[in-house]
Each structure stands twice: as structure tokens, then as C-alpha cells.
């Protein structure tokens, strides 16, 4: 769910992670990975695998993967009043 495969002839395979606003968050090269490693990566990133193509997706996975990836979170700058904004929950996606 929420994973789309596009074949680009001549291009090295990579996983492109996008925000809910379709902004690029990260590119992960897949050339040196096996199918099993790619499946494990996608699962670790929080994507939901449907049992069948027409199976419903549970509500908690509708916007998955909606996890914060530590390498994707920018450092928090102090607010205008000088206070640092509260830290995000590790399970909260930066765009939610």
C-alpha cells in the first residue's frame, strides 16, 4: 500500500520516499540489494503489504509509512521567542 513501482529504462533502481505533499525526502539505492533485502527494507520503513491486491487496508495503515525516519528529521531551530519547539513522537510523521 502507498508504494508505486516505476520502471525507468537505463536508470539504476532506487526507492524514492515522498512526503504526503509529494516532496522528496530520501533516495535509497537498490542496485546492490537482493529482493529479500528490499522486501525487508520496505517492511522496516512501515509499508503495509496487502494479502491480495483488492484487500482493504486497515485504517492505521492508510497513510503508512507514517514514521519519522531519524535521518530525515531536520534539526529543530529555536522558535521566534527563543524556545525550542517540542520534540516529535518517534512514530509521528513530520507531515502529519
Amino acid at each position: 500500500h502507498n508504494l508505486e513501482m516505476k520502471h525507468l529504462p537505463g536508470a539504476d533502481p532506487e526507492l524514492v520516499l515522498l512526503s504526503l505533499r509529494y516532496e522528496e525526502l530520501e533516495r535509497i539505492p537498490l542496485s546492490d540489494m537482493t529482493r529479500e533485502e528490499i522486501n525487508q527494507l520496505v517492511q522496516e520503513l512501515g509499508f503495509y503489504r496487502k494479502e491480495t491486491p483488492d484487500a482493504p487496508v486497515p485504517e492505521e495503515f492508510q497513510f503508512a509509512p507514517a514514521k519519522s525516519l531519524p535521518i530525515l528529521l531536520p534539526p529543530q531551530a529555536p522558535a521566534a521567542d527563543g524556545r525550542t519547539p517540542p520534540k516529535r513522537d518517534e512514530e509521528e510523521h513530520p507531515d502529519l
Side-chain angles (χ1 to χ4, degrees):
H1 177 68
N2 288 344
L3 184 69
E4 182 178 331
M5 163 57 173
K6 290 185 181 179
H7 178 73
L8 303 174
D12 288 335
E14 59 187 357
L15 177 63
V16 181
L17 301 175
L18 303 174
S19 71
L20 291 174
R21 290 183 227 112
Y22 297 97
E23 298 164 331
E24 185 177 313
L25 299 173
E26 182 178 8
R27 286 179 179 260
I28 302 171
L30 303 175
S31 298
D32 296 331
M33 297 177 77
T34 65
R35 181 183 186 105
E36 291 79 21
E37 290 171 327
I38 294 170
N39 286 336
Q40 182 179 352
L41 171 66
V42 169
Q43 185 177 18
E44 288 171 0
L45 289 171
F47 285 92
Y48 177 78
R49 183 178 179 117
K50 297 191 282 186
E51 294 293 324
T52 62
D54 58 343
V57 176
E59 187 174 332
E60 64 268 22
F61 292 102
Q62 288 295 319
F63 297 104
K67 293 182 177 180
S68 296
L69 301 176
I71 56 175
L72 301 178
L73 295 177
Q76 292 188 3
D81 62 4
R83 296 184 303 180
T84 302
K87 292 187 180 217
R88 293 186 185 112
D89 183 355
E90 286 187 18
E91 294 298 317
E92 181 182 337
H93 191 280
D95 289 335
L96 295 178

